[in-house]
């Protein structure tokens, strides 16, 4: 660990000097890691050129910093407790030494299968320690991992594998989440049929699910591990060599593969975790995300291991076998630092308070949230009922693209306000922009588009295979700035409050989904002419999905039609993208240039259709009355 900030005064001083001399700050943060060779340049490149680099010339392997470095003093410390879906499944924990051994063995397996530095490996797995082992083994040999959330469909998995030309897929036979079995191997088989680059599929056994097998291509994890050596010399990487690709939805087209590199990502996730959560060596840190999202990459796998902490890998859901599961697990492992989503909090606060009271939560010191704005009611419930009124809440704002937390309180140091991500972390300089003048909005008590003014080590280095998209998405709207896609307020105290996306990206239960992706899926239905997706306020999910669509046939049975739409979206994207409501309309509100005016649809979906403002730019303003009078299913 580096040197921690310990007071608000110190935060302000460190922050100011970090902005005055960013390179010095980030050089200091990088000092405490094991480098084979220190960097030649701390930082180069710019947003304008889209060529940002950090610690270039530095040589390292991130897994040596996650694992080897801790063995002498902390080899017997638990790296991960594993909490299986079934609460009665026998206990399983891995010490740092054991995790190191497994990662080395699997790294040897990967190399024996011909995976080399720079090759892409797709990971589509259950939340067991093996997903971390597979991920770290890739990093150890310099292969670029691309984890695909195990809730995505065969088609989504295939799209991602094809986009990055992965040569191997690592999966499970199946996974059990709550009462639901997800046949991961069947889904993988369907995907791989369309992925000629895949040479091997490694299958880790987790269920009793019957699966098909293709000799020569498929191999069992346990067979390969049996004879693998537990000695493995980590491959030396340049700080700017790729570490992983993670796909995330944008406002247009297919999800984009965000590329993160070794050195900057390592320094960034490690130092942000330490500062924000204020962790100590004997803490037990639990982030309930899935490793398939950036939160899992940064703050389940890499961040906690870099800090030498004891973490928890949780396979189940907050509702299984009952809504007390999270609290039972906190109690079981004496969790000190607990990090979850506002959606989980909103869902659990609707349940009987007995589910909380049955468990001893006194071990908790710090609570965190991530992924979406948290409403005040949920914030207070979390603070009072889970934190017993005494634990700071860190509301952490960040993105897949940022690699790690950007705007967040530091636990116990930054005075918090419900609903506010509060202040930027050291080295991070946010600004608010005026959408019409493209100028920076100065002062306090203002609102605008959130941008970041200077590069930071954890930021995305590119969109895999699409430099044009990287530039146009992040660096074109406000030249010289990184554009986040979020709207934001800065209050009288200079505190930041994220108001939500300002582009066509939805945030449903903390999952990022592009309206265009869902529309394209729905358009595949043979009766649908055109679909328009908007978000609307949803009391648990934060945002719900509302689908307006025109159809070329009359729909006799809207309920069964809705089911067809659900099946289609589940098949093409994932069940998480199913519309909550569908409404069949005669026409969509379009401008003369053919653009759908989503603002109008958003207002109608939110039940605010009475005052729609100026609709005179519509080709046919009468469609609005028809839509307002219509009915959603
Ligand atoms: C970490 C993650 C990113 C988007 C981002 C925001 C929203 C994330 C907060 C938040 C309000 C927060 N990565 N978001 N954190 N909104 N308060 N603390 O979620 O790439 O999947 O999503 O999530 O809109 O742009 S992500």
């Amino acid at each position: 660990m580096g040197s921690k900030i310990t007071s608000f005064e110190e935060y302000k001083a460190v922050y100011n000097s970090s902005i005055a001399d960013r390179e010095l700050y980030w050089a200091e943060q990088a000092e405490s890691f094991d480098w084979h060779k220190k960097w030649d340049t701390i930082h180069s490149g710019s947003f304008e050129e889209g060529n940002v680099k950090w610690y270039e010339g530095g040589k390292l392997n991130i897994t040596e910093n996650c694992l080897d470095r801790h063995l002498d003093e902390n080899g017997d410390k638990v790296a991960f407790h594993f909490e299986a879906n079934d609460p009665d499944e026998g206990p399983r924990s891995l010490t740092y030494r054991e995790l190191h051994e497994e990662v080395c063995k699997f790294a040897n397996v990967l190399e024996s299968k011909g995976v080399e530095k720079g090759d892409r490996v797709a990971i589509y797995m259950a939340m067991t320690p093996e997903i971390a082992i597979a991920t770290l083994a890739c990093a150890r040999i310099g292969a670029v991992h691309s984890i695909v959330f195990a809730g995505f469909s065969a088609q989504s998995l295939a799209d991602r594998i094809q986009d990055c030309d992965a040569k191997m897929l690592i999966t499970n036979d199946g996974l059990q989440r709550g009462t639901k079995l997800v046949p991961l191997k069947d889904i993988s088989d369907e995907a791989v049929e369309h992925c000629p680059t895949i040479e091997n599929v490694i299958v880790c056994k987790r269920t009793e699910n019957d699966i098909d097998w293709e000799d020569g291509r498929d191999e069992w994890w346990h067979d390969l591990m049996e004879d693998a050596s537990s000695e493995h010399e980590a491959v030396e990487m340049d700080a700017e060599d790729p570490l992983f690709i993670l796909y995330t939805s944008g406002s247009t087209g297919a999800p984009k593969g965000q590329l993160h590199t070794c050195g900057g990502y390592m320094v960034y996730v490690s130092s942000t975790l330490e500062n924000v959560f204020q962790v100590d060596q004997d803490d037990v840190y639990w982030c309930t995300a899935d490793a398939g999202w950036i939160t899992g990459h940064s703050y389940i796998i890499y961040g906690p291991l870099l800090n030498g902490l004891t973490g928890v890998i949780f396979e189940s859901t907050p509702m299984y076998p009952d809504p007390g599961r999270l609290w039972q697990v906190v109690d079981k492992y004496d969790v000190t630092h607990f990090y979850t989503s506002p959606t989980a909090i909103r869902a659990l606060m609707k349940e009987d308070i007995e589910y909380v009271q049955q468990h001893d939560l006194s071990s908790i010191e710090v609570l965190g949230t991530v992924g979406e704005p948290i409403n005040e009611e949920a914030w207070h419930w979390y603070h009072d009922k889970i934190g017993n009124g005494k634990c700071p809440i860190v509301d952490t704002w960040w993105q897949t693209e940022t690699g790690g937390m950007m705007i967040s309180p530091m636990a116990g140091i930054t005075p918090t306000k419900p609903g506010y991500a509060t202040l930027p972390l050291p080295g991070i300089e946010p600004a608010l922009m005026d959408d019409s003048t493209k100028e920076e909005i100065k002062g306090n008590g203002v609102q605008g588009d959130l941008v970041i003014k200077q590069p930071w080590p954890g930021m995305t280095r590119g969109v895999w295979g699409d430099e044009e998209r990287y530039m146009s998405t992040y660096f074109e709207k406000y030249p010289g700035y990184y554009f986040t896609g979020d709207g934001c307020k800065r209050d009288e105290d200079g505190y930041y409050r994220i108001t939500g996306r300002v582009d066509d990206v939805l945030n449903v239960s903390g999952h990022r989904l592009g309206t265009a992706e869902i529309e394209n899926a729905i358009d595949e239905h043979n009766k649908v002419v055109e679909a328009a997706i908007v978000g609307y306020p949803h009391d648990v999910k934060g945002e719900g999905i509302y689908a307006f669509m025109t159809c070329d046939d009359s729909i006799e049975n809207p309920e069964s039609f809705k089911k067809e739409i659900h099946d289609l979206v589940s098949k093409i994207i994932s069940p998480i993208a199913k519309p909550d409501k569908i409404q069949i309309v005669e026409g969509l509100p379009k401008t003369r240039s053919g653009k759908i005016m989503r603002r109008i649809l958003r207002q109608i979906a939110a039940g605010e259709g009475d005052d729609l403002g100026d609709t005179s730019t519509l080709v046919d303003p009468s469609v609005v009355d028809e839509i307002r009078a219509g009915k959603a299913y």
Side-chain angles (χ1 to χ4, degrees):
M1 293 201 208
S3 55
K4 218 164 29 185
I5 290 169
T6 56
S7 71
F8 195 45
E9 290 314 308
E10 191 184 345
Y11 158 73
K12 285 188 269 191
V14 170
Y15 181 78
N16 289 337
S17 61
S18 76
I19 299 303
D21 192 343
R22 269 181 316 131
E23 296 199 357
L24 178 67
Y25 177 77
W26 289 117
E28 282 170 3
Q29 296 306 303
E31 284 294 337
S32 61
F33 297 90
D34 277 356
W35 298 85
H36 293 193
K37 173 184 165 288
K38 286 269 166 75
W39 50 91
D40 300 323
T41 32
I42 297 171
H43 163 60
S44 67
S46 67
F47 290 156
E48 284 93 336
E49 303 276 330
N51 59 350
V52 169
K53 293 188 167 70
W54 288 90
Y55 311 114
E56 204 182 4
K59 304 291 177 194
L60 77 157
N61 187 288
I62 193 170
T63 70
E64 290 177 329
N65 285 281
C66 288
L67 301 170
D68 307 53
R69 180 164 68 123
H70 306 309
L71 295 184
D72 277 349
E73 276 182 34
N74 281 320
D76 295 326
K77 179 172 177 174
V78 172
F80 289 123
H81 293 295
F82 172 50
E83 178 67 15
N85 184 60
D86 176 355
D88 297 325
E89 188 174 312
R92 181 178 173 204
S93 301
L94 280 99
T95 63
Y96 272 88
R97 197 178 323 284
E98 289 164 337
L99 182 61
H100 176 261
E101 214 173 279
E102 295 293 300
V103 169
C104 286
K105 282 168 79 173
F106 200 63
N108 284 317
V109 166
L110 293 176
E111 283 178 341
S112 76
K113 293 278 121 197
V115 181
E116 292 174 5
K117 176 173 173 177
D119 288 342
R120 275 78 60 209
V121 173
I123 297 176
Y124 184 65
M125 295 180 83
M127 278 296 286
T128 73
E130 279 67 27
I131 194 170
I133 293 165
T135 302
L136 293 163
C138 286
R140 194 153 182 102
I141 68 166
V144 182
H145 56 78
S146 176
I147 309 185
V148 179
F149 170 58
F152 278 120
S153 68
Q155 191 166 327
S156 292
L157 174 60
D159 287 346
R160 286 159 173 76
I161 290 173
Q162 287 164 2
D163 187 77
C164 69
D165 296 319
K167 78 190 261 191
M168 178 185 275
L169 171 63
I170 307 168
T171 189
N172 294 102
D173 47 353
L175 73 78
Q176 185 84 39
R177 237 180 137 244
T179 55
K180 209 171 117 208
L181 180 97
V182 185
L184 293 182
K185 176 64 164 65
D186 293 352
I187 300 170
S188 295
D189 287 346
E190 199 185 325
V192 168
E193 230 172 89
H194 308 281
C195 300
T197 57
I198 294 287
E199 293 167 11
N200 295 98
V201 178
I202 298 182
V203 187
C204 184
K205 188 157 176 58
R206 183 62 192 136
T207 60
E208 296 306 319
N209 184 25
D210 275 339
I211 56 173
D212 290 337
W213 202 256
E214 195 178 302
D215 286 328
R217 183 195 70 185
D218 302 346
E219 276 171 287
W220 285 111
W221 173 293
H222 55 259
D223 287 343
L224 293 165
M225 288 290 262
E226 203 168 44
D227 305 319
S229 157
S230 56
E231 308 262 304
H232 183 273
E233 194 176 329
V235 170
E236 183 174 275
M237 306 292 282
D238 190 275
E240 279 297 335
D241 281 336
L243 174 63
F244 67 85
I245 300 166
L246 180 59
Y247 287 83
T248 190
S249 296
S251 52
T252 56
K256 300 184 283 277
Q258 301 297 339
L259 178 67
H260 286 278
T261 57
C262 297
Y265 177 80
M266 171 180 79
V267 173
Y268 196 72
V269 299
S270 181
S271 80
T272 50
L273 177 85
E274 187 179 5
N275 274 327
V276 169
F277 281 95
Q278 293 284 308
V279 284
D280 285 317
Q281 279 311 309
D282 46 5
D283 288 335
V284 179
Y285 165 95
W286 180 22
C287 165
T288 69
D290 190 285
W293 310 110
I294 191 68
T295 306
H297 283 62
S298 301
Y299 300 114
I300 295 177
I301 299 179
Y302 287 110
L305 296 176
L306 287 164
N307 277 285
L309 301 174
T310 295
V312 179
I313 292 184
F314 177 57
E315 189 183 29
S316 195
T317 87
M319 297 298 178
Y320 183 78
D322 66 48
R325 185 67 187 276
L326 298 185
W327 320 128
Q328 176 241 323
V329 174
V330 165
D331 191 351
K332 178 169 174 185
Y333 299 104
D334 287 329
V335 169
T336 56
H337 292 67
F338 180 74
Y339 193 25
T340 197
S341 67
T343 290
I345 298 165
R346 285 190 295 261
L348 294 174
M349 65 190 267
K350 285 185 181 297
E351 302 292 337
D352 197 325
I353 193 65
E354 292 234 321
Y355 287 114
V356 177
Q357 288 163 345
Q358 280 160 5
H359 306 284
D360 178 1
L361 304 183
S362 61
S363 58
I364 297 181
E365 292 168 19
V366 177
L367 296 170
T369 70
V370 59
E372 16 161 5
I374 181 163
N375 48 308
E376 289 198 25
E377 195 191 352
W379 194 99
H380 284 294
W381 185 85
Y382 198 35
H383 186 260
D384 298 345
K385 304 292 188 245
I386 305 305
N388 197 19
K390 63 177 176 47
C391 303
I393 295 180
V394 291
D395 175 350
T396 65
W397 174 83
W398 59 293
Q399 307 179 298
T400 306
E401 293 87 337
T402 70
M405 301 180 277
M406 300 283 281
I407 304 181
S408 171
M410 293 187 180
I413 288 172
T414 316
T416 58
K417 280 186 203 183
Y420 282 77
T422 73
L423 297 170
L425 296 178
I428 302 304
E429 208 179 347
L432 302 182
M433 305 299 282
D434 185 318
D435 176 62
S436 45
T437 65
K438 302 284 181 282
E439 300 279 334
E440 235 181 279
I441 306 167
K442 307 275 186 185
N444 287 340
V446 293
Q447 178 164 4
D449 285 358
L450 179 65
V451 298
I452 308 295
K453 291 175 77 163
Q454 298 288 347
W456 65 100
M459 68 176 274
T460 167
R461 299 297 195 270
V463 170
W464 186 260
D466 199 344
E467 195 185 328
E468 210 286 309
R469 222 161 145 213
Y470 179 61
M471 296 308 294
S472 63
T473 309
Y474 305 110
F475 308 114
E476 235 159 52
K477 183 168 183 190
Y478 298 111
Y481 299 84
Y482 165 83
F483 176 47
T484 66
D486 280 320
C488 186
K489 281 182 185 159
R490 186 168 53 222
D491 76 359
E492 296 302 338
D493 297 326
Y495 267 38
Y496 290 87
R497 178 190 186 120
I498 312 300
T499 52
R501 300 290 302 197
V502 294
D503 54 8
D504 292 322
V505 170
L506 305 182
N507 193 329
V508 181
S509 304
H511 302 315
R512 235 171 107 164
L513 297 164
T515 53
E517 274 174 86
I518 308 175
E519 286 163 4
N520 291 341
I522 294 177
D523 287 344
E524 297 277 307
H525 192 285
N526 59 9
K527 285 190 180 155
V528 173
V529 176
E530 191 177 17
I533 298 290
V534 295
Y536 70 97
H538 188 289
D539 63 351
V540 173
K541 299 178 180 187
E543 209 165 17
I545 304 175
Y546 199 122
F548 294 92
M549 57 191 91
T550 54
C551 296
D552 59 7
D553 248 340
S554 66
I555 305 295
E556 301 299 334
N557 183 342
E559 294 292 348
S560 68
F561 178 67
K562 183 174 179 182
K563 167 98 176 35
E564 287 168 30
I565 297 289
H566 278 186
D567 291 346
L568 189 61
V569 171
S570 300
K571 179 169 163 283
I572 296 178
I573 308 173
S574 160
I576 61 180
K578 289 190 301 201
D580 297 280
K581 293 185 180 176
I582 67 170
Q583 182 176 345
I584 298 151
V585 298
E586 291 294 321
L588 292 166
K590 289 197 181 177
T591 63
R592 264 166 260 281
S593 60
K595 246 185 105 164
I596 297 169
M597 274 184 87
R598 286 167 200 283
R599 172 182 69 79
I600 290 176
L601 295 176
R602 267 196 292 268
Q603 282 171 288
I604 294 173
E608 294 158 4
D610 292 343
D611 179 19
L612 289 174
D614 185 10
T615 56
S616 62
T617 54
L618 292 176
V619 182
D620 177 9
S622 74
V623 298
V624 172
D625 295 324
E626 187 264 330
I627 298 173
R628 251 194 314 229
K631 180 167 180 280
Y633 290 90

